[in-house]
């Protein structure tokens, strides 16, 4: 029996598009299904100023395939020398929808990020005043803290103190991966949102490490224990407005992932919507998929929901996707859920 579901067109509230040949190669994968995406600013060099965000936005629009309808929602990369007035102007013009805080050294291209939150308080105070959200990569980077504990420690030692100091600041906990993250986001009041990736709903750390290391399952924050994956599934499928999709689709060419020191990032833009239908069906929550992908994010960002629709159909046969996207920068492996998936987006 065919099953189908129609959703308002989804948005991706955390996406890496990169630049140049990689941008050209991966953008169609997102634009095919998503109406808008929050574009991460961790380019080399990072997107720090309003002028840089405007130029990056133009490069994204120029790379769109003919006929595609897709709106990039730009972000700025917060540094200790970010100018609060520039941020405010970029927000007032409608260009910038969020500012991204990377603790220095936390992830790909984050060395220019923030060492000391005190140094960025003037910018954060301005953002609180104008209602501009702060997207947070929530992991401490101190060598003594185990990589599997970095999110929980960040919540206690950085995020919660910051939110007590500046309660009006609107914050998105990006790509939460733990039950601690879920609990904090759930109880955080209406100034707090949290994105959840597709891959963290599917893999736990065993998938990454048992039977040989799987570089294409390595991302940051790293996948955690099974109990955390289950907490993320419960949160995503709950329908609660706090939680929305941010795929964190993060393309790296295979050569950069399959090496002695491989890059972090899973590339899920191609099959995310089908995988989410699979996950939500498994959880008996297909009727809440639209809240997660298409309603809760716009509500948090104070944007209208999309009006166009996207239809997903469950097929008798397992569906397949290209194993890799071929870009002029090199091949990029598409996230493999490791289980048959019968859902597909209707063309
Ligand atoms: C991201 C990237 O490659 O830019 N990698 C990842 O594993 N998620 C950076 C990030 O979001 O942490
Ligand atoms: Zn990311």
């Amino acid at each position: 029996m065919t099953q189908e579901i129609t959703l308002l067109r989804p948005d991706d509230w955390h996406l890496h598009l990169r630049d140049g040949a990689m941008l050209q190669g991966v953008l169609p994968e997102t634009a095919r299904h998503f109406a808008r995406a929050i574009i991460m600013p961790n380019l080399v060099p990072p997107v720090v100023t309003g002028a840089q965000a405007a130029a990056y936005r133009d490069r994204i629009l120029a790379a769109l395939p003919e006929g595609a309808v897709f709106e990039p929602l730009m972000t700025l990369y917060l540094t200790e020398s970010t100018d609060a007035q520039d941020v405010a102007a970029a927000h007032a013009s409608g260009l910038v929808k969020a500012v991204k805080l990377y603790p220095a050294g936390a992830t790909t291209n984050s060395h220019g990020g923030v060492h000391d939150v005190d140094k960025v308080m003037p910018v954060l105070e301005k953002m609180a005043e104008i209602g501009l959200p702060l997207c947070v990569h929530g992991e401490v980077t101190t060598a003594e803290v185990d990589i599997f504990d970095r999110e929980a420690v960040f919540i206690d030692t950085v995020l919660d103190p910051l939110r007590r100091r500046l309660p009006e600041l609107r914050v998105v906990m990006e790509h939460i991966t733990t039950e601690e993250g879920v609990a904090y986001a759930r109880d955080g009041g209406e100034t707090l949102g949290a994105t959840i990736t597709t891959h963290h709903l599917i893999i736990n750390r065993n998938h990454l490490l048992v039977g040989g290391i799987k570089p294409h399952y390595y991302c940051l924050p790293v996948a955690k224990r099974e109990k955390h994956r289950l907490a993320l599934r419960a949160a995503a499928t709950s329908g609660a407005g706090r939680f929305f999709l941010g795929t964190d689709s993060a393309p790296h060419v295979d050569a950069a992932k399959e090496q002695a020191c491989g890059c972090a990032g899973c590339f899920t833009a191609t099959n995310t919507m089908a995988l989410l239908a699979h996950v939500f069906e498994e959880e008996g929550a297909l009727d809440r998929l639209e809240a997660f992908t298409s309603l809760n994010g716009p509500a948090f960002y104070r944007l209208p929901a999309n009006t166009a629709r996207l239809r997903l159909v469950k097929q008798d046969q397992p569906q397949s996707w290209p194993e890799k996207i071929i870009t002029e920068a090199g091949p990029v492996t598409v996230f493999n859920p490791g289980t048959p998936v019968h859902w597909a987006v209707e063309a």
Side-chain angles (χ1 to χ4, degrees):
M1 195 193 74
T2 42
Q3 230 185 314
E4 55 179 66
I5 177 171
T6 302
L7 311 171
L8 292 180
R9 212 168 167 76
D11 302 305
D12 185 347
W13 299 96
H14 182 131
L15 176 67
H16 299 270
L17 286 177
R18 317 301 189 199
D19 215 341
M22 182 65 93
L23 166 64
Q24 198 77 45
V26 300
L27 179 59
E29 300 302 300
T30 287
R32 193 173 296 136
H33 299 156
F34 292 87
R36 298 172 290 198
I38 283 276
I39 309 300
M40 287 295 130
N42 62 332
L43 304 183
V44 186
V47 180
V48 174
T49 66
Q52 289 167 334
Y56 185 30
R57 181 171 180 275
D58 289 346
R59 296 199 296 281
I60 295 168
L61 293 176
L64 272 174
E66 191 74 33
V69 181
F70 174 77
E71 186 187 355
L73 306 174
M74 306 312 290
T75 64
L76 298 177
Y77 182 114
L78 184 60
T79 73
E80 291 179 4
S81 42
T82 291
D83 172 8
Q85 289 314 319
D86 182 60
V87 171
H91 171 251
S93 74
L95 171 70
V96 158
K97 298 291 189 252
V99 172
K100 178 72 187 270
L101 186 157
Y102 290 101
T107 188
T108 311
N109 305 334
S110 63
H111 42 269
V114 174
H115 293 268
D116 178 0
V117 172
D118 282 348
K119 299 231 170 74
V120 296
M121 281 312 285
V123 179
L124 301 184
E125 282 159 9
K126 175 54 84 177
M127 290 169 59
E129 180 192 319
I130 62 183
L132 179 60
L134 180 71
C135 295
V136 177
H137 182 111
E139 291 190 286
V140 293
T141 56
T142 20
E144 308 80 72
V145 180
D146 189 274
I147 190 165
F148 292 100
D149 299 333
R150 287 179 169 197
E151 180 171 299
V153 173
F154 182 89
I155 293 168
D156 290 344
T157 63
V158 183
L159 182 59
D160 191 59
L162 171 63
R163 294 188 61 246
R164 285 173 194 278
R165 193 168 165 188
L166 198 53
E168 306 78 28
L169 182 67
R170 309 183 67 242
V171 173
V172 183
M173 299 171 70
E174 295 298 325
H175 43 49
I176 55 172
T177 58
T178 59
E179 61 184 11
E180 290 87 348
V182 167
Y184 190 78
R186 194 185 48 223
D187 301 339
E190 63 187 27
T191 56
L192 192 62
T195 59
I196 300 177
T197 77
T198 307
H199 50 283
H200 288 112
L201 297 173
I202 296 175
I203 60 167
N204 63 29
R205 65 194 199 179
N206 276 15
H207 296 92
L208 171 66
L209 295 170
V210 172
I213 191 161
K214 315 293 189 314
H216 297 289
Y217 287 162
Y218 175 60
C219 64
L220 287 171
V222 71
K224 308 292 192 301
R225 287 177 180 275
E226 178 65 359
K227 68 172 180 175
H228 298 293
R229 187 184 73 104
L230 297 178
L232 294 170
R233 280 195 166 219
T237 61
S238 69
R242 212 72 79 207
F243 300 105
F244 38 92
L245 173 64
T247 65
D248 195 17
S249 182
H252 294 275
V253 293
D254 286 351
K257 298 227 19 117
E258 299 169 4
Q259 58 153 308
C261 183
C263 293
C266 296
F267 179 67
T268 56
T270 305
N271 52 3
T272 273
M273 290 308 298
L275 300 186
L276 288 173
H278 174 88
V279 166
F280 276 65
E281 185 189 24
E282 279 184 341
E283 299 294 329
L286 268 179
D287 58 331
R288 295 195 280 269
L289 179 57
E290 185 177 57
F292 183 64
T293 63
S294 317
L295 297 174
N296 296 347
F300 183 87
Y301 277 92
R302 298 175 173 162
L303 293 169
N306 299 308
T307 50
R309 286 166 198 277
L310 182 92
R311 210 148 83 108
L312 287 142
V313 181
K314 187 177 181 185
Q315 311 285 357
D316 292 335
Q317 295 305 313
Q319 299 302 292
S320 59
W321 302 273
E323 192 193 336
K324 298 170 194 297
I325 296 299
I326 305 307
T327 77
E328 285 190 20
V332 176
T333 293
V334 176
F335 179 77
N336 177 353
T339 182
V341 169
H342 290 256
W343 287 90
V345 175
E346 197 174 66

